[in-house]
Amino acid sequence: MYEDGSTMTQEDIDRFLAYMDSGQEVVAGSEIHRLMTAASERAMRITSRMNASFDSLSDTREQLEHLFGRPLPEGVGLFPPFTTDCGLNTHLGEGVFINAGCRFQDQGGITIGDRSLIGHNAVIATLNHNMDPELRANLIPAPVHIGADVWLGSNVTVLPGVTIGDGAVVAAGAVVTKDVAPRTVVGGVPAKLIRTL
């Protein structure tokens, strides 16, 4: 067991991320599913500590770097509380800001471009369950890509496999089920085009 309570080795992490990034289905009870659970337990330990005791924004940044397993780019900021199911497959650009209450399900991969703003209580999901009831516990990863200079309003939900283009705005409360073109404003459930910028 490691300092953060994890039982995952770097080899485990690399194997897990390579599999998730391949988009292959994760069979319930498989070795990859076991690694997914171990990554979730690690993330819950780290975020529980981060959210329970605020010291400073620089301390929060250090904890995020530990959670993500890599240094953060310049200017990345986050207001806790923050939760993630994994943490190891989130990639942030320079100047990204994540407001309080956000939840990232990042096993399938979340990439957020430079200077993007993520509003209060946003949810970004990257996993679907198999639609066959007999295989429902199996998981299918699909990455979310958020471009540069994007603004997600508060309480936005972004579903697996979605790409949001550079400069787009997603209105508060929207549920994004399909790709969003660059420099557009979308809103509603499901999100639809409101106007271009």
Side-chain angles (χ1 to χ4, degrees), residues 117-122 151-157 169-174:
L117 307 174
I118 311 300
H120 289 90
N121 303 314
W151 175 19
L152 302 187
S154 61
N155 297 299
V156 163
T157 299
V169 176
V170 180

Side-chain angles (χ1 to χ4, degrees), residues 4 6 8 12-13 16-18 20-21 32 35-47 63-70 82-91 103-110 124 126-127:
D4 60 14
S6 175
M8 296 180 80
D12 289 336
I13 291 169
F16 168 67
L17 292 176
M20 298 308 290
D21 291 345
I32 292 297
L35 290 174
M36 180 183 288
T37 301
S40 294
E41 290 177 351
R42 174 188 175 274
M44 285 186 276
R45 276 189 294 275
I46 295 168
T47 56
Q63 292 185 65
L64 270 182
E65 289 182 337
H66 179 59
L67 176 64
F68 294 162
R70 71 186 72 83
F82 171 76
T83 58
T84 178
D85 291 2
C86 177
L88 296 167
N89 211 4
T90 293
H91 307 275
R103 298 176 179 271
F104 287 8
Q105 181 196 55
D106 70 320
Q107 290 95 328
I110 295 172
I124 302 175
T126 66
L127 293 176

Side-chain angles (χ1 to χ4, degrees), residues 4 11 25 29 37 59 71 82 84 91-93 100 108 123 137 145 157 175 178 185 190:
D4 60 14
E11 182 181 331
E25 186 166 346
T37 301
D59 179 63
F82 171 76
T84 178
H91 307 275
L92 306 178
V123 174
H145 296 279
T157 299
V175 177
K178 60 183 181 179
V185 179

Side-chain angles (χ1 to χ4, degrees), residues 5-180:
S6 175
T7 57
M8 296 180 80
T9 66
Q10 189 59 52
E11 182 181 331
D12 289 336
I13 291 169
D14 293 344
R15 187 161 38 102
F16 168 67
L17 292 176
Y19 190 93
M20 298 308 290
D21 291 345
S22 76
Q24 295 178 73
E25 186 166 346
V26 178
V27 176
S30 67
E31 175 64 13
I32 292 297
H33 192 253
R34 185 193 69 75
L35 290 174
M36 180 183 288
T37 301
S40 294
E41 290 177 351
R42 174 188 175 274
M44 285 186 276
R45 276 189 294 275
I46 295 168
T47 56
S48 292
R49 287 192 294 269
M50 182 174 75
N51 296 330
S53 177
F54 178 80
D55 181 46
S56 67
L57 290 176
S58 61
D59 179 63
T60 298
R61 181 181 170 88
E62 287 177 22
Q63 292 185 65
L64 270 182
E65 289 182 337
H66 179 59
L67 176 64
F68 294 162
R70 71 186 72 83
L72 291 174
E74 236 2 83
V76 167
L78 177 138
F79 286 177
F82 171 76
T83 58
T84 178
D85 291 2
C86 177
L88 296 167
N89 211 4
T90 293
H91 307 275
L92 306 178
E94 291 186 6
V96 169
F97 177 71
I98 300 167
N99 221 322
C102 291
R103 298 176 179 271
F104 287 8
Q105 181 196 55
D106 70 320
Q107 290 95 328
I110 295 172
T111 302
I112 302 176
D114 295 346
R115 300 170 304 280
S116 286
L117 307 174
I118 311 300
H120 289 90
N121 303 314
V123 174
I124 302 175
T126 66
L127 293 176
N128 278 312
H129 287 277
N130 191 304
M131 292 302 289
D132 182 339
E134 293 179 14
L135 302 173
R136 186 64 44 84
N138 291 359
L139 297 158
I140 303 162
V144 167
H145 296 279
I146 297 172
D149 303 302
V150 170
W151 175 19
L152 302 187
S154 61
N155 297 299
V156 163
T157 299
V158 180
L159 296 186
V162 165
T163 294
I164 299 175
D166 294 348
V169 176
V170 180
V175 177
V176 185
T177 61
K178 60 183 181 179
D179 291 354
V180 175

